[in-house]
């Protein structure tokens, strides 16, 4: 099972020169030069060409690219925009339209049922633009993703993933620490008969990401919430 390589980015499909010109992008065509180099330097596995693991990693990275950067759902090629739903930790599920209204990847990925006063990161108060700006500042080389292990073949793909980055920039008033921040989780992708994604479920502890940011010593006058502002 080979990952598609259409002459664009080697880890993602649909980024050919023609795609870059004809696709409606949220904020211009994405440039993965820096993050791909960072990924190659920090990944724990180099999956063989044609392997199931390579296929899944390519699919996940392409899907993430479309969800984050494409402005027109009709141009999504990895998923069925009419049937697609995305769930976090077995709680609420979001349609593609709802995902867009929430503000995209980080705001969906960091959903929580905690009271607002206990939220170190509050997805209800962040927009697509503010969330992207905040985490690009924290991780100037990116928050890389790799597939660590794949447990099942399509049409239902279950896999373990790893996100990582170095806090080389500030988060709001918290200064950079330069430390590695890692986040592990499980995901299930369900594909239809056309190999389009119709359902995604993520299971993770968002505290693995946010606790890493809290290691920075707060500036004077910055209060951090009591208790654990991550779970639930």
């Amino acid at each position: 099972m080979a990952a598609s390589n259409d002459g664009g980015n080697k880890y993602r499909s649909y980024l050919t020169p023609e795609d870059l010109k004809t696709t409606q992008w949220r904020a211009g065509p994405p440039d993965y030069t820096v993050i791909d180099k960072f990924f190659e330097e920090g990944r724990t596995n180099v999956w063989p060409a044609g392997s199931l693991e390579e296929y899944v990693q390519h699919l996940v990275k392409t899907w993430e690219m479309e969800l984050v950067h494409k402005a027109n759902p009709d141009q999504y090629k990895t998923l069925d925009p009419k049937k697609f739903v995305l769930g976090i930790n077995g709680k609420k599920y979001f349609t593609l339209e709802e995902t867009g209204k929430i503000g995209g990847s980080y705001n969906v990925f960091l959903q929580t049922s905690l009271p607002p006063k206990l939220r170190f990161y509050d997805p209800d108060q962040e927009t697509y633009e503010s969330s992207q700006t905040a985490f690009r500042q924290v991780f100037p080389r990116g928050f890389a993703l790799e597939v660590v292990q794949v447990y099942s073949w399509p049409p239902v793909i279950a896999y373990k993933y790893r996100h990582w980055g170095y806090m080389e920039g500030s988060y709001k008033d918290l200064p950079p620490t330069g430390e590695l921040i890692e986040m592990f989780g499980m995901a299930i992708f369900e594909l239809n008969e056309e190999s389009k994604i119709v359902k995604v479920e993520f299971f993770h502890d968002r505290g693995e990401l946010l606790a890493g940011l809290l290691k920075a010593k707060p500036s004077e006058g910055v209060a951090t919430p009591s208790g654990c502002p991550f779970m639930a």
Side-chain angles (χ1 to χ4, degrees):
M1 181 177 293
S4 172
N5 190 332
D6 51 13
N9 181 275
K10 60 182 174 180
Y11 299 115
R12 302 163 188 84
S13 297
Y14 317 126
L15 285 172
T16 65
E18 183 64 22
D19 288 322
L20 294 177
K21 288 189 295 184
T22 59
T23 300
Q24 297 176 40
W25 302 104
R26 286 178 179 264
D31 184 349
Y32 286 100
T33 304
V34 174
I35 184 63
D36 284 349
K37 182 175 185 294
F38 181 65
F39 163 75
E40 291 171 349
E41 292 171 347
R43 59 185 166 179
T44 58
N45 294 288
V46 179
W47 299 118
S51 66
L52 174 62
E53 290 82 4
E54 185 209 31
Y55 166 78
V56 172
Q57 187 165 265
H58 193 99
L59 174 65
V60 174
K61 285 179 177 287
T62 303
W63 168 79
E64 185 268 348
M65 175 274 294
E66 293 196 305
L67 193 68
V68 172
H69 294 289
K70 288 190 174 182
N72 184 357
D74 291 335
Q75 294 185 319
Y76 289 11
K77 299 179 181 180
T78 59
L79 60 83
D80 183 333
K82 295 181 180 179
K83 297 182 179 179
F84 177 81
V85 292
L86 188 157
I88 302 294
N89 291 338
K91 297 179 181 177
K92 187 175 180 180
Y93 290 84
F94 303 94
T95 65
L96 187 60
E97 182 180 2
E98 290 170 333
T99 299
K101 289 180 179 179
I102 289 170
S105 56
Y106 282 111
N107 285 344
V108 172
F109 208 58
L110 297 175
Q111 283 291 302
T112 179
S113 58
L114 284 169
K117 65 180 180 180
L118 295 179
R119 298 179 183 181
F120 175 60
Y121 178 88
D122 189 347
D124 294 339
Q125 299 300 316
E126 301 287 348
T127 64
Y128 168 83
E129 290 78 13
S130 68
S131 64
Q132 291 291 316
T133 297
F135 284 102
R136 283 173 182 164
Q137 180 169 300
V138 172
F139 303 118
R141 289 188 289 165
F143 195 47
L145 166 70
E146 70 169 331
V147 167
V148 177
Q149 190 170 358
V150 179
Y151 301 102
S152 61
W153 290 72
V156 180
I157 304 169
Y159 68 93
K160 180 179 180 180
Y161 61 86
R162 170 185 174 241
H163 271 292
W164 77 98
Y166 289 89
M167 190 182 180
E168 296 167 324
S170 61
Y171 176 74
K172 299 185 184 295
D173 291 320
L174 301 181
T177 64
E179 292 190 15
L180 171 67
I181 296 177
E182 290 184 293
M183 183 179 189
F184 292 87
M186 301 283 296
I188 300 173
F189 277 37
E190 294 186 18
L191 280 57
N192 63 16
E193 62 277 0
E194 298 176 338
S195 296
K196 297 289 184 69
I197 302 165
V198 293
K199 185 177 181 181
V200 173
E201 295 185 88
F202 286 106
F203 300 91
H204 60 253
D205 175 5
R206 73 188 206 129
E208 289 186 342
L209 167 57
L210 300 182
L213 303 182
L214 275 172
K215 288 182 179 180
K217 182 179 179 181
S219 302
E220 183 178 354
V222 176
T224 55
S226 59
C228 178
F230 311 125
M231 297 299 290

